[in-house]
Amino acid sequence: MNIDVIRQDTPGCYDKIFINSAGSSLMPNVVVEKMTEYLHEEEQLGGYEVARLREKEINKFYSEIAKLINCNPENIAFAYNATDAYAKALSSIPFKKGDCILTTNDDYISNQIAFLSLKKRFDIAIIRANNLANGDIDIEDFERIIKKHNPVLVAITHIPTNSGLVQQAEEIGKICARYDTWYLLDACQSVGQLIVDVEKIGCDFLSATGRKFLRGPRGTGFLYVSDKVLSKGLEPLFIDMRGADFINFDEYKIQKNAKRFELWEMSYASLVGLTEAVRYANNIGLGKIFEYNKKLVKRLREKLSQIPGLRLLDRGSELSNILTLKIDRRELIEIENALKDAKIFYSVSTKYNSITDFSSDKIERVVRLSPHYFNTDSEIDVVTRVIGSI
Ligand SMILES: Cc1ncc(COP(=O)(O)O)c(C=O)c1O
């Protein structure tokens, strides 16, 4: 991995320390160039003609994502963001009154809202598995709940929006396979950051976004659906002429592949932008990105934990590149001002971003740092020096 080349490819990192990839990361220049070129063609020829001329390139989207998560292109659908992908997956589960969803305390806020909305409509139950004292999912309890309640769906967030937690996606996958339960994984914060292999995880659905650790454009994402989902004929509740053929006045036929989860209209400029971002990551190699990130964030955690009064809000036995912190007797605004003055880009997480995992700590708002592979050790040192001087 050539960090100098990667930084040259990332104009957004020339004049600042950008440490907010869990929010919306910096796109490599090739992504912006590809999208601009595509839009200029649309300016000249109109969108339909460009899509026709660039059909081959558009189809690369599916193979590039398939390479990223180890599946076939037929298992991939383009989505407008992670929540869109997630909602389409959820809508394909044939819930009935009295069914149950098993999730965790750390599932993403919008997912929890979607479960509550389903509960309102179908009178389903939502069960949240217990955590161990360290924050990990209590796997034994998880299996006990599955045996007892026979949930229709298990829904887990791989890496929650804060707290550094990495949930045990593979272990959960093994349990779901034993009990033949649909398994939906929110991988919004994990794709691009770790090796995410759907074969190893064994999920039926995986939702992801483009703009975070994948470094793609906003308004993009994707949904993975397993062969089992396809062969059992699951389909999203609202399906259009892309997902199905209208073959008779009262009949439609769904697509054989995951395109049944797509809608006809989409921004192809954004799709080719995300393809380029994923190609960029695949070319470097997710293994290398993961190894680099692990060292980077270890340095950040070690240096921050030496600062008197600073509390890392880490949870779990395996930690991600998302780090939330508090400093005793310091208001959030003081930390924010110091970071802004030093041109450090970060984000703030509030309890409304993850009400369940924040509630145990009685925390309202915290600073969230999320370094990625274009960051350097010396940037980490500046960040820790600035925070240490508050
Ligand atoms: C864990 C997790 N899941 C899902 C989402 C939603 O992603 P999107 O805004 O692309 O729908 C987020 C966004 O921050 C997230 O952190």
Side-chain angles (χ1 to χ4, degrees):
M1 212 175 102
N2 188 332
I3 188 72
D4 293 333
V5 171
I6 287 167
R7 287 180 68 80
Q8 271 164 31
D9 292 344
T10 309
C13 73
Y14 298 169
D15 63 343
K16 66 183 82 64
I17 298 180
F18 187 94
I19 198 158
N20 187 20
S21 288
S24 186
S25 190
L26 296 177
M27 291 181 277
N29 50 9
V30 282
V31 172
V32 181
E33 281 160 18
K34 181 60 81 176
M35 290 174 74
T36 316
E37 179 191 291
Y38 194 98
L39 284 172
H40 279 313
E41 258 182 62
E42 283 194 342
E43 183 185 40
Q44 289 302 317
L45 305 175
Y48 291 179
E49 183 61 8
V50 184
R52 193 184 65 76
L53 291 171
R54 295 219 186 194
E55 193 184 348
K56 250 193 183 155
E57 183 184 342
I58 287 167
N59 281 331
K60 288 269 166 27
F61 168 76
Y62 303 93
S63 48
E64 211 57 64
I65 303 275
K67 190 169 161 192
L68 178 78
I69 61 168
N70 189 25
C71 64
N72 290 315
E74 287 69 33
N75 300 104
I76 300 298
F78 178 77
Y80 308 114
N81 51 57
T83 309
D84 172 50
Y86 199 88
K88 283 171 176 156
L90 264 188
S91 82
S92 74
I93 308 283
F95 289 110
K96 313 183 292 309
K97 186 176 162 65
D99 279 347
C100 146
I101 296 178
L102 173 57
T103 184
T104 70
N105 291 314
D106 300 286
D107 220 50
Y108 186 59
I109 202 103
S110 298
N111 307 346
Q112 306 261 1
I113 292 171
F115 303 153
L116 289 171
S117 163
L118 284 170
K119 180 178 174 167
K120 239 201 242 174
R121 186 160 296 192
F122 296 108
D123 199 16
I124 58 165
I126 303 162
I127 302 180
R128 297 189 178 101
N130 288 318
N131 298 93
L132 297 173
N134 71 354
D136 287 347
I137 302 169
D138 182 340
I139 292 288
E140 277 178 26
D141 183 52
F142 203 91
E143 184 153 6
R144 188 189 55 75
I145 295 172
I146 293 202
K147 270 194 215 156
K148 185 166 172 204
H149 296 278
N150 190 23
V152 174
L153 176 71
V154 161
I156 304 294
T157 294
H158 198 182
I159 296 186
T161 228
N162 352 268
S163 80
L165 188 65
V166 181
Q167 304 218 79
Q168 303 105 298
E170 281 185 36
E171 280 171 85
I172 299 292
K174 288 191 186 106
I175 300 175
C176 290
R178 277 206 290 282
Y179 295 90
D180 198 23
T181 310
W182 294 116
Y183 177 20
L184 165 55
L185 185 70
D186 172 344
C188 181
Q189 296 286 8
S190 54
V191 285
Q193 180 184 164
L194 324 168
I195 299 172
V196 174
D197 180 329
V198 288
E199 206 170 292
K200 278 200 184 139
I201 294 171
C203 52
D204 293 297
F205 301 94
L206 177 146
S207 55
T209 208
R211 73 184 181 284
K212 297 181 187 285
F213 288 93
L214 279 179
R215 307 183 59 199
R218 294 195 72 174
T220 61
F222 68 86
L223 175 68
Y224 156 82
V225 293
S226 67
D227 289 339
K228 182 174 148 198
V229 168
L230 294 175
S231 65
K232 294 242 174 178
L234 295 197
E235 60 185 62
L237 181 58
F238 296 109
I239 188 161
D240 80 352
M241 60 190 187
R242 171 115 172 144
D245 293 326
F246 187 46
I247 53 175
N248 219 324
F249 274 108
D250 50 9
E251 202 180 351
Y252 67 83
K253 194 166 169 236
I254 50 171
Q255 299 296 339
K256 286 202 174 73
N257 61 23
K259 288 205 177 91
R260 75 178 71 153
F261 286 84
E262 290 183 348
L263 293 179
W264 193 85
E265 176 54 5
M266 60 179 84
S267 162
Y268 284 102
S270 301
L271 178 144
V272 297
L274 178 56
T275 311
E276 205 56 42
V278 175
R279 185 177 294 128
Y280 191 87
N282 279 339
N283 284 345
I284 296 171
L286 265 295
K288 285 188 187 150
I289 290 174
F290 173 62
E291 286 307 321
Y292 183 91
N293 274 345
K294 221 166 50 175
K295 283 193 203 131
L296 198 65
V297 82
K298 182 166 177 271
R299 186 181 185 95
L300 181 59
R301 283 199 161 90
E302 279 173 4
K303 295 212 160 203
L304 286 175
S305 51
Q306 286 161 18
I307 298 172
L310 188 145
R311 197 150 55 98
L312 291 175
L313 304 169
D314 286 340
R315 297 172 68 221
S317 55
E318 194 189 334
L319 293 173
S320 74
N321 266 44
I322 299 180
L323 194 150
T324 36
L325 62 94
K326 268 193 85 68
I327 308 178
D328 289 345
R329 293 185 294 280
R330 289 282 175 263
E331 293 297 324
L332 181 76
I333 189 75
E334 294 176 74
I335 310 175
E336 287 200 82
N337 285 342
L339 291 171
K340 278 179 192 154
D341 286 348
K343 286 190 105 180
I344 296 167
F345 282 49
Y346 64 96
S347 69
V348 170
S349 263
T350 75
K351 75 173 191 179
Y352 299 103
N353 296 127
S354 59
I355 202 156
T356 43
D357 57 327
F358 261 47
S359 54
S360 54
D361 259 339
K362 309 253 180 313
I363 288 166
E364 295 280 328
R365 285 156 60 81
V366 292
V367 161
R368 180 179 70 174
L369 306 175
S370 47
H372 204 11
Y373 64 91
F374 52 79
N375 292 121
T376 60
D377 284 353
S378 56
E379 286 185 323
I380 296 297
D381 296 350
V382 173
V383 171
T384 50
R385 239 189 347 263
V386 168
I387 294 178
S389 68
I390 296 167

